[in-house]
Amino acid sequence: MTGETTQGESLRRTPLYEEHKALGARMVPFAGWEMPLQYTGIVEEHRAVRQAAGLFDVSHMGEIEVSGPGARQALQRLVTNDVERLVPGRALYTVMCTPEGGVVDDLLVYQLDDQRYMLVVNAANTARDLEWVREHAGGPQVTVVDRSLETALLALQGPRAQAILSLVTDDVDLEALRPFHFVGGWEGMISRTGYTGEDGFELFVSWDGAPAIWRGILAAGEPEGLVPAGLGARDTLRLEACLPLYGQELDLETTPLEAGLDFVVKWDKGPFLGRDALLRQRQQGLRKKLVGLRLLEPGVARTGYRVLDERGEPVGRVTSGTVAPTLQASIALAYVPPAVAAVGQRLAVEIRGRAVAAQVVETPFYRRRRGG
Amino acid sequence: MAHEVPDGLYYTEEHEWLRVEGDEGVVGITAYAQDQLGDVVFVELPEVGAQYRAGEAFGVVESVKTVSDVYMPVSARVVAVNGALADRPELVNQDPYGEGWLVRIQILNRDELAGLLDAAAYRQRTS
């Protein structure tokens, strides 16, 4: 067996590092941070989130504050979604694009008050995003501040998330908190958002206050089936729910239209970075399209594996793939030409030189039952 | 965490074990190896009759996160493969020295056994 090696580079640690060690987590380097991959096991943690709840440390994610009298207008030009839909207490999923239409990052924009917004961005992109936001949204009317290292972020996800959170919060009406809404501000914020395909909350807390909150939620939630969950389960959960991951489904060479994120591109809102290029692409047609694949034979389609058409010709690449714990099936996301992207299309994935039969299927692979 | 390393088996630097039974042997991956991999979701095994030199990759063990080759401890011909792993790859995690075995081999060069680690040496490698 060949082992994985990890480099002894200097990695950042979240305020929960000691908690993870005490829980026996396997720590791995991720986007410049030393993060928990798993505690007891990816599949067990994945199932706990689908059936009860999981608590994730995602403090490595970046938080950028954009404020000032020009903030709203600047953000409207910066991202593809319509910031005019925001009011204080609401969040919006969006992407920001280059003038050529490539995705700089996908992010959530939270409106805190009239002139203050928080952008939550991917850990791997935080430095580049900060530069991008300063260059394209900064100015005399707009202040851009990196608050990543003072803001810890916990994600409590799963059908029992609300019941568990209600045990440790008595002054928040969680029932009334709708998806993509939040309460609070920098000093402590509860948002009904997540990245697992389940109901859940994300808690923005102070760096120093994070360990006590982490321990409090875990202790309160244990009888409800809550477990700490690592980045491994986060990845299998988001893949079942077809939530894109930057660096895999999204990058500078890919447009939101190709990634199936049309719903975050608002053509009528006025000018924004990338609009002309995206409009051109919409008129001329996509070069590639993100599809869901199900393998029809045993195997695992990994990131980067080639997708073959029925004649065995390479036509695309897998961006993410796994054996889905909830579905007990081998699934993958892949970019292929639109001509072979229809549901039902037979394709193959080249796994170690062998063409393994696959089929384009409906996405998401997993959709939670609502109101159950 | 200390992992089980049964006495009486041979071990490789790459974390395979070999139990010798006469001219034949059984090969699997160690408890340490399965723990490092995490949840095993797929095992690719060779055809019966395939022949390998010592150190050659004969199969692949895939966990949720990683893909790992497995190597033949000694030059050998495969006489049986563990068919149960097709439906239950998790046996590699649950019982790496028992039901999670990978292949049964005919040992072609017994002299190569001398180049393998014993339990004490392997314990030292993985402690």
Side-chain angles (χ1 to χ4, degrees), chain A residues 1-4 26 37-38 41-44 232 235-236 298-300 302 305 321-323 351-352 354, chain B residues 14-16 29 33-39 41-42 44 60 62-71:
Chain A
M1 196 193 93
T2 41
E4 275 182 311
R26 177 168 303 157
L37 175 69
Q38 62 172 63
I42 293 173
V43 173
E44 192 179 325
D235 193 47
T236 53
V300 189
R302 302 279 176 177
Y305 284 9
T322 193
V323 175
I351 301 178
R352 293 182 285 278
R354 201 161 50 89
Chain B
E14 291 81 26
H15 311 288
E16 289 85 14
I29 67 168
Q34 65 76 28
D35 184 58
Q36 289 294 306
L37 281 169
D39 297 307
V41 292
F42 181 69
E44 190 175 290
V60 176
E62 298 203 33
S63 66
V64 176
K65 290 310 288 180
T66 85
V67 185
S68 279
D69 285 333
V70 276
Y71 301 100

Side-chain angles (χ1 to χ4, degrees), chain B residues 31-96:
Chain B
Y32 173 84
Q34 65 76 28
D35 184 58
Q36 289 294 306
L37 281 169
D39 297 307
V40 172
V41 292
F42 181 69
V43 182
E44 190 175 290
L45 295 174
E47 303 276 329
V48 169
Q51 206 164 308
Y52 298 90
R53 282 196 294 268
E56 246 185 305
F58 71 89
V60 176
V61 177
E62 298 203 33
S63 66
V64 176
K65 290 310 288 180
T66 85
V67 185
S68 279
D69 285 333
V70 276
Y71 301 100
M72 205 52 100
V74 292
S75 299
R77 180 182 299 115
V78 176
V79 296
V81 300
N82 186 356
L85 298 179
D87 291 328
R88 297 180 63 200
E90 66 273 15
L91 290 173
V92 173
N93 294 116
Q94 291 163 1
D95 192 7

Side-chain angles (χ1 to χ4, degrees), chain B residues 19-31:
Chain B
R19 185 168 55 240
V20 176
E21 298 173 351
D23 292 338
E24 293 190 351
V26 178
V27 178
I29 67 168
T30 65

